[in-house]
Amino acid sequence: MPEAPTAKPAPVCGYAPGAHREALEFIEHVTANAGKVQRRVLAEILAQNAPAEYLRRYGVFGSLDAADGFRRLVPLVTYEGLLPDILRIANGDTSPILSGKPISEFLTSSGTSGGERKLMPTIADELDRRSLLYSLLMPVMSQSVPGLDKGKAMYLLFVKAESRTPGGLVARPVLTSYYRSRQFLDRPHDPYTAYTSPNEAILCVDSYQSMYAQLVCGLVHRADVLRVGAVFASGFLRAIRFLEKHWPRLCHDIRTGELDSSVITDRAVRDAVGRVLRADPALADEIEAECGRPSWEGIIRRLWPRTKYIDVIVTGTMSQYIPTLVFYGRGLPLTCTMYASSECYFGLNLNPMCKPSDVAYTLIPTMCYFEFLPVHSSNGNAEPTHRDLIDLIDVRLGHEYELVVTTYSGLYRYRVGDVLRVVGFKNEAPMFRFVRRQNVALSIDSDKTDETELHAAVSGAVQHLAPFGASLVEYTSYADATTIPGHYVLFWELRAGSTAVPASVFEDCCLSVEEALNSVYRQGRACGRLIGPLEIRVVAEGTFDKLMDYALSRGASINQYKAPRCVRPGPVVELLDARVQAKYFSPKCPKWSPGNKQWNNTKAELVSNGDAA
């Protein structure tokens, strides 16, 4: 194996003369030598974790040929496959089970990723790797947007209360871990990352007090704000809705220079906000004049007039929020800068000012060892194995892959569940577009509808509401198997327009969704007994805020929360059903032409089973 080049030193985190140049040179170096860097990373991981029981279980012992043994012997794994080892660590086993270094904490995944809150083991060194990726964001952005060191960023950041495993390890979301780390709290002064929110407000576990305090500070600094954002688009819009509801009280506090004592009870937060809050009747008047206007269109530009862009994730299912962000931002660019998860931080968008539909992430080869599982492999129906994996530099343009990672923290050939499409290359390093989460689907019979297909169908159907001034605020779905036959149910929360929407229009929406779904679904509907008519249940205003509150109460992170596109029967469906105001069904079967291959196969199976009449 050719030796890897001498590693180019990572750029210093924080601001220093020439720091941006060093960061850009680092990106250029690691992408130009992606293959060699990846081989070095794998060798480092195997050497560091040579004592790990997991690797030894498969005959990998950290010797000179460890990388070859790893490629031949270590299998693909999902979270369920690792769960026994993770539970041993959680229960206090300190032996080197997954990692050669001590597990420092568990990172909890989003409560709505696959419907399960997972524990991801991590080591202390990972904080430095995350900090490195953060340090690359502004050098990249500054190439497109100059002058970002001349003002502040109003980023709404939140933490979640921590828990501890039986063995005493902290368990918390990855962003809570980072915001509480020395890498974040003791970060050196950097004019490119001056935030309006004081650390005390970010670290307040009461999300209401945290949101209130951060918005107060953001409004006080409105003349200095150059960019606004949150992690996900849904979280940023939740803040705008909070502002819509509470702006009179916020303006009162700015006018008097005193925080409402009934709202902010956390002493550290009060003291921190008190250091920037001064009585400013003129500022309060300006904010009241904007918030009090009949329409909130363009409110972000109006309240923060120097803002250059909105920094939120709007890829995947978050894309449904783009029209609302455009409404509030009046054309402000929407930027997606970074690709990361609880398992590992992955890469950057090197063209952050592109349109949301063009967002592509370049994986940084130093973050972990990347492999890729072709989505449409030649194995037929066989379960994929490690022999199907492809290295980072060997992926092909236009092809789709499931992301598989081997991390310094002790995940080996772990299936992340994200499906990515190769859309280009930065030197040797591929650029990927996020396509969907793997295996998130509705299914009644042999039909399988993933969230991307569902989202496209819903996006088309809601156009029927436009002539009445109504729009979709949020939605989710579930497969209702309590009816015979079972059927798809969509829960829709709407923003009402000036004219009531007739029932017939909602029925048209139902049919429109069905017409846009795959042929297997439509054949199941057309046969008359495999799948029942699709149903839309319109829920009361604020229902999805209640759903988010429920998820947060169950341990989800406000930073990571995403409204689930598919839910299962249980408390969530009960919550939604309790707020249903109206129900509508598809009035007829969607179009479907018999004679296609899938239908013939299904008929043959029914006949062979003796079920055809």
Side-chain angles (χ1 to χ4, degrees), residues 33 52 75 113 158 163 220 263 300 325 341 386 398 410 503 508 536 558:
N33 298 279
S113 284
F158 303 91
S163 59
V220 167
V263 176
I300 298 170
L325 288 167
S341 75
H386 62 282
D508 290 341
I536 290 176
I558 192 171

Side-chain angles (χ1 to χ4, degrees), residues 38-49:
Q38 279 280 277
R39 288 193 289 273
R40 174 174 58 80
V41 166
L42 179 59
E44 287 177 356
I45 291 172
L46 296 178
Q48 172 187 294
N49 296 334

Side-chain angles (χ1 to χ4, degrees), residues 76 78 379-385 388 415:
L76 283 165
T78 62
N379 275 352
N381 294 323
E383 186 70 18
T385 74
D388 299 311
R415 298 177 65 173

Side-chain angles (χ1 to χ4, degrees), residues 52 70 235 240:
F70 174 88
I240 297 299

Side-chain angles (χ1 to χ4, degrees), residues 312-331:
V312 289
I313 293 174
V314 288
T315 52
T317 57
M318 290 292 113
S319 64
Q320 68 159 317
Y321 299 109
I322 291 173
T324 308
L325 288 167
V326 170
F327 175 81
Y328 286 127
R330 195 187 288 157

Side-chain angles (χ1 to χ4, degrees), residues 77-87 89-90 98 103 105-122 130 160-161 163 165 169-175 177 341-344 402-403 405 411 414-418 437-440 551 554-557 560 562 568:
V77 70
T78 62
Y79 182 77
E80 288 69 28
L82 289 179
L83 189 56
D85 289 323
I86 288 172
L87 291 179
I89 299 169
L98 294 175
I103 300 300
E105 61 182 314
F106 282 107
L107 304 177
T108 56
S109 74
S110 166
T112 57
S113 284
E116 186 176 356
R117 192 167 178 249
K118 302 172 184 177
L119 293 173
M120 293 298 165
T122 191
R130 291 176 213 142
K160 178 69 183 174
S163 59
T165 68
L169 288 173
V170 172
R172 53 191 176 185
V174 62
L175 291 172
S177 171
S341 75
S342 301
E343 293 88 342
C344 184
E402 182 184 345
L403 179 62
V405 297
L411 299 178
Y414 181 85
R415 298 177 65 173
V416 174
D418 289 356
R437 287 285 295 174
Q438 185 75 290
N439 301 324
V440 176
R554 302 283 293 179
S557 163
Q560 295 173 274
K562 305 178 285 291
R568 296 180 179 179

Side-chain angles (χ1 to χ4, degrees), residues 228-280:
V228 299
V231 179
F232 289 111
S234 55
F236 185 74
L237 290 177
R238 184 174 172 91
I240 297 299
R241 288 198 292 271
F242 187 100
L243 182 59
E244 280 189 87
K245 184 175 182 180
H246 298 292
W247 67 261
R249 179 176 285 178
L250 290 162
C251 286
H252 176 269
D253 290 358
I254 292 170
R255 187 179 302 281
T256 62
E258 294 286 339
L259 279 175
D260 189 326
S261 59
S262 67
V263 176
I264 306 297
T265 58
D266 186 299
R267 173 54 57 187
V269 175
R270 291 184 64 85
D271 291 345
V273 176
R275 289 193 287 271
V276 300
L277 182 61
R278 299 289 183 270
D280 194 336

